[in-house]
Amino acid sequence: MSEPRLGALRVPLPFGPVDLRWAEWGPADGAPVVCVHGLTRTGRDFDTLARELAGDGRRVICPDMPGRGLSSWLPDGSLYAVPSYLAALAPLLAGLGRFDWVGTSMGGLIGMALASLPGNRVGRLVLNDVGAEIPAAALAGIAAYVGFGPDFAGIDALEAHLRVIHAGFGPLSPAEWRHLAETSARMTPGGRVTLHYDPAIAKPMQAAAPTDIVLWPMWDALDRPVLLLRGETSPLLTAATAARMALKPGVTLATIAGCGHAPALMDPAQTGMIRGFLRD
């Protein structure tokens, strides 16, 4: 399958309806895997992994979270937070039965929150470069580029920008960088291109000075198998935090050489680890 099926659902929420859209791969009756992207990214970041999981007979669903990609923007930037994301996903997840979860950065935080709720149906959980504690310095680094909405003369310039701000993705090929650029770009009314997210997603980060995020109680509530991936030089998931998380029974920690925040999950070694973990 070279291209995914596209899905859409209008979700009524207290602040108004949200159009949730996603890319879907693999057999419709396959065991579901939900893949959720990072803060400024889209579900199409998972195309490589999704194709491989689909080859294993899995149904792979890769949503664009509200404010990103093809999903609708929220009416107030302060709403861009995990509770809103869980509410927007709820009707989609309700129809899946039991499902596995792959989450990069923000997507991992959403997965941790979901998997800690009573009665959730998350099976295996893959956390890509995010964990139970996030240093304020790492958040400040992200806040330095999120929400400023730069636009570019063309896709080449946008790709060059991505290569700088997302250098932590690892040593990607030219085709892989171009894929990330083309699937996360939108045209402005003036005919230029910009990243496909609502600049207001930065509002919660701009509301106060960054402070350490501590989620150990949430982590302690998890009781399912976890594959924890850490970029070798990641400032967001420190080696000390990852090592402490790995003490929990059922947690497998893998450090990805040559990556920071966050491994792109395009390299065969990275996708192979995830495929093997989800097969067990």
Side-chain angles (χ1 to χ4, degrees):
M1 182 185 299
S2 60
E3 292 296 326
R5 303 183 297 275
L6 300 181
L9 186 66
R10 174 156 286 191
V11 182
L13 294 176
F15 47 78
V18 170
D19 291 323
L20 183 73
R21 294 184 171 88
W22 63 89
E24 182 173 333
W25 307 78
D29 60 351
V33 183
V34 179
C35 299
V36 179
H37 58 78
L39 181 66
T40 64
R41 305 301 305 152
T42 79
R44 299 301 300 273
D45 282 12
F46 293 103
D47 280 10
T48 298
L49 175 64
R51 287 190 186 99
E52 295 189 16
L53 291 174
D56 294 336
R58 304 300 298 264
R59 178 188 178 193
V60 190
I61 300 168
C62 307
D64 290 343
M65 297 310 296
R68 289 86 169 171
L70 301 179
S71 292
S72 59
W73 294 7
L74 301 184
D76 187 325
S78 65
L79 296 169
Y80 288 117
V82 170
S84 296
Y85 302 142
L86 289 175
L89 287 170
L92 172 63
L93 300 180
L96 299 181
R98 193 166 180 82
F99 54 89
D100 294 326
W101 185 282
V102 179
T104 293
S105 194
M106 180 189 76
L109 293 177
I110 298 169
M112 286 175 57
L114 178 62
S116 67
L117 295 176
N120 74 84
R121 294 187 300 279
V122 178
R124 290 179 167 258
L125 180 64
V126 179
L127 299 178
N128 183 24
D129 211 62
V130 71
E133 193 165 331
I134 303 174
L139 296 173
I142 294 171
Y145 69 81
V146 174
F148 295 105
D151 57 26
F152 306 92
I155 199 71
D156 289 347
L158 184 144
E159 180 186 323
H161 174 72
L162 292 181
R163 286 172 178 252
V164 173
I165 65 170
H166 294 313
F169 284 7
L172 306 185
S173 70
E176 289 167 338
W177 280 117
R178 180 49 57 109
H179 170 78
L180 292 175
E182 291 178 344
T183 56
S184 60
R186 64 180 174 87
M187 190 75 73
T188 70
R192 293 169 66 82
V193 295
T194 190
L195 290 170
H196 211 328
Y197 68 84
D198 179 1
I201 64 171
K203 186 172 181 179
M205 302 183 72
Q206 296 168 346
T211 58
D212 293 348
I213 295 177
V214 178
L215 302 172
W216 291 111
M218 180 187 295
W219 174 249
D220 292 340
L222 297 183
D223 61 352
R224 65 217 59 228
V226 175
L227 174 60
L228 178 62
L229 304 177
R230 176 181 181 267
E232 180 181 27
T233 60
S234 174
L236 192 131
L237 177 59
T238 67
T241 295
R244 179 176 168 185
M245 292 173 70
L247 296 175
K248 189 181 183 71
V251 176
T252 301
L253 170 62
T255 299
I256 310 300
C259 293
H261 181 71
L265 307 185
M266 293 178 167
D267 182 88
Q270 297 169 28
T271 59
M273 279 191 290
I274 295 172
R275 292 172 71 188
F277 173 75
L278 296 183
R279 287 188 190 126
D280 288 343

